Amino acid sequence: MTSTGASQTTFRDLFANLRTGLLVVADELQWIGLKGLRSLEIRQMEKRLNEERATLGQAVAKAAAEAQGEPASVPLDDAARLCLKQIAFLDEELTHLRNERDRLRQDLLARRRAVLAPADASPTSQPESPKE
């Protein structure tokens, strides 16, 4: 009769481990999806930032060609000033998105630990580890 109780415990432990594994896989799949979407957004914003930098470079080159003077002392027109503001904004936004992505990963891991830790700490599902 003790073998029946041992096999029930083994099956219970087996299904508990299976459940834990499936939860981890589901969380990782969710993270892959979220990370992919966030990376797509970051790539699009980096592309826009490069376009703004190219536009700024063209505006400065045009102003320098018209001024025929020292390039460092060329006054910037409104389009160039707008490009500078856009570049600053996009830099800040990219930093925010990267930080948000990292924070989201940490939140997902913390949530997973909080959900799975109580189940792992139950005395019936924890085998005794040998003392070294």
Side-chain angles (χ1 to χ4, degrees):
M1 192 140 270
T2 58
S3 65
T4 305
S7 67
Q8 287 177 350
T9 301
T10 303
F11 284 126
R12 190 177 319 134
D13 291 342
L14 176 68
F15 287 122
N17 287 340
L18 180 63
R19 177 186 168 273
T20 300
L22 291 175
L23 287 173
V24 170
V25 168
D27 275 351
E28 287 300 312
L29 288 174
Q30 178 186 11
W31 168 243
I32 289 170
L34 291 173
K35 181 181 172 187
L37 291 173
R38 188 58 55 123
S39 295
L40 178 66
E41 186 177 5
I42 288 172
R43 279 193 306 270
Q44 289 175 343
M45 198 158 298
E46 285 172 340
K47 182 180 176 184
R48 175 70 192 273
L49 179 62
N50 289 334
E51 289 172 358
E52 288 294 332
R53 286 180 175 152
T55 303
L56 176 63
Q58 290 171 355
V60 169
K62 180 181 174 186
E66 291 174 357
Q68 298 285 334
E70 185 67 31
S73 63
V74 173
L76 296 177
D77 61 351
D78 291 337
R81 292 184 199 286
L82 180 62
C83 284
L84 285 172
K85 290 178 183 178
Q86 282 291 98
I87 288 170
F89 170 75
L90 290 171
D91 275 334
E92 288 176 17
E93 192 65 22
L94 279 169
T95 301
H96 172 73
L97 288 174
R98 288 183 180 120
N99 290 339
E100 183 69 18
R101 181 187 58 197
D102 295 340
R103 187 196 59 77
L104 178 62
R105 176 65 175 168
Q106 294 305 316
D107 287 349
L108 286 171
L109 291 174
R111 191 187 80 223
R112 182 188 309 160
R113 280 187 221 107
V115 167
L116 297 179
D120 290 343
S122 67
T124 59
S125 66
Q126 283 291 322
E128 291 187 27
S129 58
K131 304 284 188 223
E132 292 186 279

